[in-house]
């Protein structure tokens, strides 16, 4: 199955470099390029993309607002957004995740990691890798100036489901969760799907938000490393 990718970035050279890289992968194709957030929204509706690589800082309409419009469009329910960030200097990551982004990518990441990130998010698997990424998410999600989460909390989950949610927040995929808890991959996948249904979460990124904002996973905890 070919992943249809839309690239949104106001820098022409950046878009061109990403386009060459994406087109070099046998399982991907570029179906459109946007220089502004408004163009990204329009192309998301016309190009039938599976995933949008979205820069946060763009003219006309920034990547966060563009992501919010895309996530709110029922006709684009299957479209995933992977936002671009300058890592530890960009404090809009949590806003982008709340707006509906399914993950974020460091702008200076290595080419192979970009392709892997696209495959990961397009497949609806882990948000991204644990470690520094998880700590960065945690720092912004726990900030006092942020708004309340838009999905339910973990109070109604079983003990096993809370364990699974904790591992999702650490960035583990279904196979890794299965290995950590002694489950089959299918059972792990079923648990994740059931948790999403109970919490009303759109994808795994929203599960991460719930885990951090509820205190189920705390910033700086040893299990993030």
């Amino acid at each position: 199955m070919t992943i249809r990718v839309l690239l949104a970035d106001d820098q022409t050279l950046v878009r061109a470099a990403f386009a060459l890289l994406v087109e070099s992968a046998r399982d991907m194709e570029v179906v459109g390029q946007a220089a502004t957030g408004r163009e990204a929204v329009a192309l998301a509706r016309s190009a039938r993309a599976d995933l949008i690589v979205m820069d946060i800082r763009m003219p006309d309409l920034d990547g966060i607002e563009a992501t919010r419009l895309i996530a709110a469009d029922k006709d684009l329910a299957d479209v995933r957004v992977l936002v671009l960030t300058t890592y530890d200097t960009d404090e809009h990551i949590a806003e982008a995740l709340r707006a509906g982004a399914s993950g974020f990518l460091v702008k200076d990441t290595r080419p192979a990691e970009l392709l892997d990130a696209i495959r990961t998010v397009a497949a609806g698997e882990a948000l991204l890798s644990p470690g520094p990424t998880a700590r960065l998410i945690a720092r912004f999600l726990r900030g006092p100036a942020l708004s309340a989460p838009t999905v339910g909390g973990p109070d109604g989950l079983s003990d096993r489901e809370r364990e699974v949610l904790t591992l999702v927040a650490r960035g583990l995929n279904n196979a890794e969760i299965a290995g950590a808890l002694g489950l089959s991959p299918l059972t792990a996948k079923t648990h994740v799907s059931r948790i999403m249904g109970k919490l009303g979460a759109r994808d795994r990124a929203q599960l991460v938000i719930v885990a951090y904002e509820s205190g189920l996973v705390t910033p700086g905890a040893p299990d993030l490393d």
Side-chain angles (χ1 to χ4, degrees):
M1 180 178 177
T2 300
I3 303 171
R4 298 171 58 83
V5 180
L6 170 62
L7 303 173
D9 194 295
D10 62 333
Q11 298 182 47
T12 303
L13 288 178
V14 172
R15 291 199 314 274
F18 283 168
L20 286 174
L21 178 61
V22 171
E23 289 287 357
S24 72
R26 294 184 178 181
D27 59 341
M28 302 179 194
E29 66 173 320
V30 176
V31 295
Q33 297 186 39
T36 70
R38 206 166 297 281
E39 286 182 9
V41 174
L43 283 174
R45 292 169 175 157
S46 63
R48 296 182 296 110
D50 298 311
L51 181 141
I52 303 171
V53 178
M54 181 85 74
D55 188 20
I56 289 181
R57 300 175 183 180
M58 289 188 292
D60 189 17
L61 189 71
D62 66 33
I64 294 172
E65 289 305 315
T67 297
R68 185 172 287 113
L69 290 175
I70 291 167
D73 191 329
K74 294 182 179 179
D75 292 334
L76 301 176
D78 294 330
V79 177
R80 295 290 177 259
V81 177
L82 178 62
V83 298
L84 294 174
T85 174
T86 52
Y87 197 46
D88 56 354
T89 62
D90 197 333
E91 299 192 5
H92 300 296
I93 293 169
E95 293 180 58
L97 294 176
R98 282 197 180 87
S102 295
F104 70 88
L105 183 70
V106 182
K107 242 186 175 182
D108 62 355
T109 191
R110 291 178 296 179
E113 291 175 344
L114 168 61
L115 298 180
D116 286 343
I118 290 174
R119 294 185 183 102
T120 295
V121 173
E125 275 292 343
L127 178 67
L128 277 183
S129 62
T133 295
R135 285 193 293 272
L136 181 60
I137 297 171
R139 185 166 77 247
F140 293 129
L141 289 181
R142 299 293 289 175
L146 298 176
S147 59
T150 57
V151 296
D155 293 344
L157 302 181
S158 68
D159 289 343
R160 174 62 83 188
E161 288 168 343
R162 291 168 70 89
E163 287 179 321
V164 172
L165 178 56
T166 298
L167 296 180
V168 169
R170 288 178 54 196
L172 274 65
N173 60 32
N174 290 341
E176 291 166 338
I177 291 171
L181 298 179
L183 307 172
S184 71
L186 179 58
T187 300
K189 181 179 180 180
T190 300
H191 277 306
V192 172
S193 297
R194 187 172 296 140
I195 293 167
M196 290 175 62
K198 284 186 175 182
L199 301 183
R202 181 174 184 267
D203 56 24
R204 297 172 79 107
Q206 289 193 331
L207 294 185
V208 174
I209 292 175
V210 170
Y212 282 117
E213 291 196 321
S214 67
L216 185 63
V217 176
T218 57
D223 62 356
L224 290 179
D225 289 315

